[in-house]
């Protein structure tokens, strides 16, 4: 089982905003881009343009309030 948990999915701009906010509070996040991985491997993208942010399970509690605040801002 992976030690990383998906905490956010969005387009490139949204993901970069959330990633920078997490980085500002020293959360080590990982961006996963299935379409780019598929393109590099020679396959077509599954969902074009969407990326995911994953964080280590030990940092999930620190991450939740940041994701909730930014998600509500992005939906406005």
């Amino acid at each position: 089982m992976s030690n990383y948990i998906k905490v956010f999915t969005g387009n490139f701009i949204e993901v970069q905003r959330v990633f920078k906010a997490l980085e500002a509070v020293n959360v080590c996040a990982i961006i996963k881009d299935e379409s780019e991985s598929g393109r590099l491997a020679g396959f077509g993208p599954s969902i074009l343009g969407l990326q995911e942010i994953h964080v280590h399970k030990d940092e999930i509690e620190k991450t939740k309030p940041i994701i909730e605040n930014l998600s509500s801002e992005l939906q406005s």
Side-chain angles (χ1 to χ4, degrees):
M1 179 178 252
S2 175
N3 288 326
Y4 287 85
I5 299 169
K6 179 173 66 170
V7 294
F8 185 81
T9 302
N11 65 42
F12 175 80
I13 295 169
E14 295 169 339
V15 166
Q16 289 300 312
R17 186 168 179 197
V18 172
F19 183 81
K20 293 294 182 187
L22 294 174
E23 191 175 58
V25 293
N26 297 319
V27 171
C28 185
I30 296 172
I31 297 175
K32 183 176 179 184
D33 187 339
E34 292 279 344
S35 61
E36 184 63 10
S37 297
R39 184 190 69 78
L40 292 171
F43 303 107
S46 57
I47 301 175
L48 191 59
L50 288 182
Q51 297 178 334
E52 301 172 347
I53 294 180
H54 295 251
V55 297
H56 194 273
K57 64 183 179 182
D58 294 341
E59 297 181 308
I60 194 74
E61 292 304 317
K62 191 176 181 181
T63 303
K64 282 181 182 179
I66 296 166
I67 298 293
E68 290 170 3
N69 288 339
L70 286 174
S71 291
S72 64
E73 280 182 33
L74 292 171
Q75 291 177 359
S76 301

